[in-house]
Amino acid sequence: MIARYVIPLAIALRPLAAQQPVQQAAAPPRDTTPPAAYYGVTEYQQARTKLEALMQLRGFTVYIVADMEGLAGAVRNATEMRPGDRGGHDPTHEAFRRELALEVNAAIAGARLAGATQFVVNEGHGGTLFRNIHPEDLDPEAILIRGYPKPNVMETGLNPKVDAMFIIGAHANARTPGIISHSYAFDSFTVNGHVLNEAGIAAFIGGEMGVPMVLAAGDNVLTAETRLMLGDIETVTTKIAESRSAAAVFPPSVIHRQIRAAAARAVRRVRLGQLKPLVIERPYHVDFCMRATFQPWVALATANLQGVQRAAADTTDRCFTYQTDSAEAVGNLLNEIEWVVLKP
Amino acid sequence: MRRLALLALLSVTPGLGSAQSTPTPYTPPHLPAPHGFRVFIVPDMEGMGSAVDIHEVIAGNEGERYKTLTSPDYWDHFRDLLTREVNATIAGARLAGARSFVVNEGHGGNLFANIIPWDLDTGAILIRGFPKPLVMVTGIDSTVGTLMFTGAHAGPGHPGILAHNFAFDTFTVNDRHLNEVGINALIASEYGVAVSLVSGDDAEIAETREILGNNFIAIVTKYAVGRMAAITFSPTRIRRQLHDSAAVAVRRAMRGDFKPFRLDKPYHVAFALRRSYSDTVVAGVDSLHWAGLEKAGERSYRLVTDDARQIGYLLDAIERVVLR
């Protein structure tokens, strides 16, 4: 609540505060120690508790992050990734929503072949405010987490009962030549010096709970960089990027078959103990730079988030550091930043 | 059967009793008499399976403030899902022996015309359109065997999906907070009709349990993780739950397991209009000059009445002001 409403209000009132220098001087220096209760942690814990309570006691649970940029065939953000009411004017958007469901279903089918018994799908694509899969199209056994804002964006409800994570339709990191490459609202994002893309961040948050990221599907840039970050996980290359909006695409039906096979292999390898969660030493020093294309107020608002500090050697005014002992707190910070950027 | 006859008698008497009080703008619509057990279903959309965002439940033609709150692709999809949920409920109820079905649109999207008529179960009478007296329980009378709310949503201040309560920030009767299900259950109790089934998100069910107690069958369609985000399930699964629970609900309702929701008379009603509404809405409600309606604050009001249906008529009048 505080982060969502009071902070934007505080930003809105900043010009007022500037006119009252006496009060400004009286304010205590900003406390930058990690807060005892992290941002949105209450909501996050609630989501996590609710999902945990719904999950099977035994069995094998796969948590699937469903993004869209890396889908077979998708190349253009402005039309294919957006519905009509958010600036897209292309009927193929509907086709890509179905394609997303097909690829997720293929992953579920493959995982099920290898013995997975429960599936949680979390909408990870924000262009449609996290409502892309037609509920009717999804495998009827899957739990679907949809809507916006939801705590912890791409890892809502993730918990230690989950056995493996997949990311489908993933895209390459910001400032790489991948299709629609980006990473949340950042130009760069590192934890203790490890460069992480969105798949990597999911693996980092899951890793702390002992959940390994085991399958990533996306273009060739994404699959290559994710293997560099996470090691020898299963990947499916859906297309070869020629630029940020052109690619040599493989037939969707072939990709579905490959995802099914890779998902089965991934689950089998987790059960054999061959795929381990990503572990990064505590404390986590998170360094990130906001996208250069954003208006200055985005960086301004980000600077106001609790615990966020300006980077020491920052000449651009949009780079920050954040230090914490909790990967979930990083997830919550992402949520806050997403709220700054996407505020509907 | 004797009980039904008694209820029918009761339903006539309030008309005599209220002759000298407020003249009612309401004459009961003459629905065909039921041949067998009648189920009255009030489908709302906010609490239906899968729906999380306002764009999914608004058609965009409800008025100025709703114009940008729709996206037609989602809306079309969700009214289809809604129709299929209602069909599943009817099918389940029929399985348990119900023979007459009245579906009264409970959601204001497209001005109370969300269900696709030619996709609805052919055994159902559909009440659609706006305005309608008693709003969400228009057409209820003592021939109704049991009342079901599907897709209900929590009241304002609760962490539920699209939580709201008609046009109000608070609504109490005899100092008890009522959500939409509670208000309509109270109106239905005037006809001796009890609520047997409620489906909605977890916040809605928790709130309704506080109001109605354990005196109904609940289906949790989704778990809210924000006002517009939820953990949802396959529509197939929700339909199966509705189908099975409706069957159980009808079986138990036939045994008289569910008791009407009663509060002490006279009803002391107090409510406050939403803070987000413009002053013209408040002025509109003031200019109703509703008999017995007292102003208790800037946008709060009080009403004392012996007949819960008066609350329904007032709701209709206020809805007309809001959706004008």
Side-chain angles (χ1 to χ4, degrees), chain A residues 280-312:
Chain A
I280 297 179
E281 288 293 312
R282 288 196 178 95
Y284 308 121
H285 295 275
V286 183
D287 296 293
F288 58 93
C289 292
M290 305 301 291
R291 277 190 222 172
T293 50
F294 281 152
Q295 298 286 321
W297 64 264
V298 173
L300 211 68
T302 307
N304 274 282
L305 296 175
Q306 205 177 352
V308 173
Q309 287 176 290
R310 290 203 175 272

Side-chain angles (χ1 to χ4, degrees), chain A residues 63-249:
Chain A
Y63 186 100
I64 302 173
V65 182
D67 211 338
M68 283 186 82
E69 289 86 345
L71 292 178
V75 292
R76 194 165 167 221
N77 190 29
T79 52
E80 294 169 353
M81 298 290 101
R82 285 190 197 148
D85 66 319
R86 285 183 69 83
H89 299 286
D90 189 348
T92 53
H93 172 64
E94 280 299 307
F96 281 107
R97 291 176 70 180
R98 277 194 296 279
E99 172 63 16
L100 174 62
L102 289 173
E103 291 193 15
V104 171
N105 284 349
I108 291 174
R112 189 182 279 129
L113 275 179
T117 55
Q118 188 171 45
F119 310 94
V120 180
V121 180
N122 185 18
E123 294 267 13
H125 182 67
T128 32
L129 290 185
F130 303 91
R131 294 174 285 120
N132 308 296
I133 297 173
H134 283 305
E136 201 80 48
D137 293 347
L138 188 65
D139 189 297
E141 277 186 26
I143 290 172
L144 177 64
I145 305 176
R146 63 199 304 272
Y148 181 80
K150 58 183 178 196
N152 223 335
V153 208
M154 291 172 85
E155 292 83 34
T156 311
L158 187 65
N159 61 68
K161 276 171 134 182
V162 174
D163 296 282
M165 278 173 103
F166 297 171
I167 186 162
I168 300 294
H171 51 81
N173 206 351
R175 307 173 85 168
T176 63
I179 295 290
I180 321 173
S181 59
H182 68 273
S183 174
Y184 288 97
F186 311 119
D187 268 348
S188 70
F189 187 93
T190 63
V191 177
N192 293 358
H194 299 275
V195 178
L196 296 180
N197 60 9
E198 288 187 7
I201 293 170
F204 163 60
I205 294 170
E208 197 187 57
M209 304 173 187
V211 182
M213 170 67 79
V214 295
L215 169 66
D219 64 25
N220 60 324
V221 182
L222 174 274
T223 50
E225 75 184 23
T226 307
R227 288 173 85 95
L228 276 178
M229 281 169 212
L230 304 180
D232 184 27
I233 67 167
E234 293 295 332
T235 53
V236 176
T237 302
T238 58
K239 52 200 168 192
I240 311 290
E242 307 284 0
S243 76
R244 274 195 83 232
S245 54
V249 301

Side-chain angles (χ1 to χ4, degrees), chain A residues 50 131 136 144 146-148, chain B residues 50 74 81 202 224 232 239:
Chain A
K50 283 182 183 181
R131 294 174 285 120
E136 201 80 48
L144 177 64
R146 63 199 304 272
Y148 181 80
Chain B
S50 302
Y74 292 96
L81 284 180
D202 56 335
T232 67
R239 287 197 289 268

